[in-house]
Amino acid sequence: MNTSELWQAVLGELELSLSKANFTTWFKNTFISEVSDHSVTIGVPNLFTLTWLEKKHAKDIVKSIQEHTNGNVKTVCFRVETRQAPVQMVPVGGKQEAPPSYVAPIVQEQPSASPKDFFSEQPQQTQVQTGEFSLNGKYCFETFIVGKQNELAHAAAQAVSNQPGGIYNPLYIYGGVGLGKTHLLQAIGNELLRKDPNLRILYITCERFTNDYIHALKTGKINDFKGRYRTVDVLLVDDIQFLGGKESTQEEFFHTFNQLFQNNKQLVISSDRPPKAIPSLEPRLSSRFEQGMLADVGSPDFETRIAILEAKSREKAYHMEREILHHIASVVQTNVRELEGALNKVIAFHQFKNIHPTLDSVKPILTSFQPSSLRKNVSPKQLIQTVSVYFDVRIEDLLGKSRQKRLAFPRQIIMYLMREEMKSSYPSIGNELGGRDHTTAMHAYEKISGCLCEDEKLQHDLELIKQRMYTA
Ligand code: ADP
Ligand code: MG
């Protein structure tokens, strides 16, 4: 293995345990500059990087190099180097041997500049993680409107972002769909990253955690998996209710949780219900969750809905008269996602037609958002009928046994809508659908509500189905 291959191997390993932004920031333009008997010198682009690598990553680098060189290398040094001119050299790690004569004193002072100064060509990338575990920059505290129903969760989230790993650990935020749980989780991540771009922050949905775990088991990469999850500074887990019933994933999550918790790393968890109410969740997990801070989010009241609408239309630089915002806020009452959806729909419609919104032009657009009390009474049979037409499948097949995907999906949508729109009980939903078990209905409801936030096509499908159902 030549020096460049060795460094690639080391980087490959380090990359697994760091966020992409973090990794790029600190390991860009590094290389192995010199190898002597027991020592490897790493060239780094500036003093700031040198200090940082020495402080935060030297141990891991030494360990990884040792693994790849059968333990021959005992010392790793860093040197600021532009490939031609060596400036500084600092021995770290392993046993400190008598240093060569050109070694400069160890640099001890704190880095005085922010990473931005050194990587000005891509300043934002040091703050926002990219890729699968990404934080979305638009979910920040500045864009979160606080009302009575979410002020506790908001305050706790802010406390966590001021003092991660402090008294609110874990923070467990729960409440219905579209009430800002994901927004708060991500705001914590974004805020922490803004304060310290080097924090390892991992935002993940519970489903993703589960899939990752299963994948790691299948491919024999469980150590990589553990490395990835157990070495972060902050773990944000969204929609933890999906852990219910998944025993081995729960086991793994339990250990991840403990390891992080013991090391005073912050955990923030969201769920659609309190810990004890998650079906088939091990008591040792729910009691861990309950030991921290529990905060719920509820449906926004009228004033908060108005404030949200005002903020969102300002964001979009679209002006609407107050009475129109009032109308939207009085029609859409349950959750913020729907409220946003209604606003977007109104804006899109009027922009498309190139007319200014009036009460008369807005009212018909919002029929599908009418509160259930004002809606036409729809029976389960009519719902099944609507969905069968929408997906072009036969009702007998929907009620039958086949689990083909083209049937299973519409069936889950029916179960979701029966629960969400008609507030039917799970057993009665099971009955309506050809005598299925109530757990099937529960699963379907959870599955669809879980996908809803990310899946725009699904949101659209549901919207159209509701429209047909209520206006037919
Ligand atoms: P949840 O995770 O609880 O289902 P989200 O966090 O995904 O809900 O919120 C749904 C949408 O509503 C997002 O676009 C989010 O930004 C917005 N939202 C929710 N609560 C608020 C709030 N209090 N202020 C501003 N926007 C909010
Ligand atoms: Mg969410």
Side-chain angles (χ1 to χ4, degrees), residues 176-183 203 238-239 270 337 449-450 453-454:
V177 181
L179 297 179
K181 302 181 298 293
T182 298
H183 191 132
Y203 165 86
D238 214 349
D239 289 321
S270 88
R337 184 175 298 125
S449 23
C453 40
E454 267 111 44

Side-chain angles (χ1 to χ4, degrees), residues 209 213 225-226 229-231 235 243 247-263 267 282 284-285 288:
F209 181 88
Y213 177 63
F225 175 89
K226 289 183 178 160
Y229 285 99
R230 297 189 189 182
T231 55
L235 184 62
L243 213 50
E247 281 162 31
S248 67
T249 312
Q250 284 187 30
E251 169 93 22
E252 179 58 33
F253 187 75
F254 181 72
H255 294 300
T256 306
F257 183 100
N258 283 345
Q259 168 113 18
L260 292 173
F261 188 77
Q262 276 157 16
N263 293 325
L267 291 122
E282 285 183 39
R284 60 176 180 169
L285 266 175
R288 285 282 188 294

Side-chain angles (χ1 to χ4, degrees), residues 153-172:
H154 173 259
Q158 285 211 313
V160 162
S161 67
N162 287 326
Q163 202 196 351
I167 46 171
Y168 296 148
N169 201 16
L171 169 61
Y172 185 102

Side-chain angles (χ1 to χ4, degrees), residues 184-255:
L184 282 176
L185 252 61
Q186 296 236 347
I188 294 172
N190 281 317
E191 181 66 14
L192 284 168
L193 213 52
R194 194 176 63 78
K195 289 182 178 147
D196 180 359
N198 301 297
L199 275 181
R200 299 180 196 179
I201 297 175
L202 189 51
Y203 165 86
I204 185 119
T205 62
C206 177
E207 288 212 295
R208 178 68 213 232
F209 181 88
T210 307
N211 293 341
D212 252 21
Y213 177 63
I214 293 167
H215 183 71
L217 281 180
K218 270 195 198 143
T219 51
K221 295 206 167 143
I222 200 71
N223 284 335
D224 292 353
F225 175 89
K226 289 183 178 160
R228 189 157 61 244
Y229 285 99
R230 297 189 189 182
T231 55
V232 298
D233 297 313
V234 180
L235 184 62
L236 310 164
V237 188
D238 214 349
D239 289 321
I240 197 84
Q241 70 270 15
F242 294 114
L243 213 50
K246 298 180 180 125
E247 281 162 31
S248 67
T249 312
Q250 284 187 30
E251 169 93 22
E252 179 58 33
F253 187 75
F254 181 72
H255 294 300

Side-chain angles (χ1 to χ4, degrees), residues 48-105:
F48 185 58
T49 304
L50 181 151
T51 316
W52 206 264
L53 287 183
E54 189 215 342
K55 273 207 175 113
K56 298 251 180 184
H57 300 295
K59 272 204 205 114
D60 292 340
I61 295 174
V62 172
K63 199 166 140 254
S64 174
I65 290 186
Q66 280 176 343
E67 277 165 13
H68 289 288
T69 56
N70 303 321
N72 276 342
V73 169
K74 300 268 186 297
T75 320
V76 173
C77 309
F78 297 98
R79 178 158 66 197
V80 176
E81 209 177 317
T82 53
R83 295 254 178 196
Q84 289 97 21
V87 182
Q88 291 248 28
M89 186 167 170
V90 183
V92 292
K95 232 174 56 205
Q96 301 240 335
E97 295 174 352
S101 55
Y102 54 81
V103 169

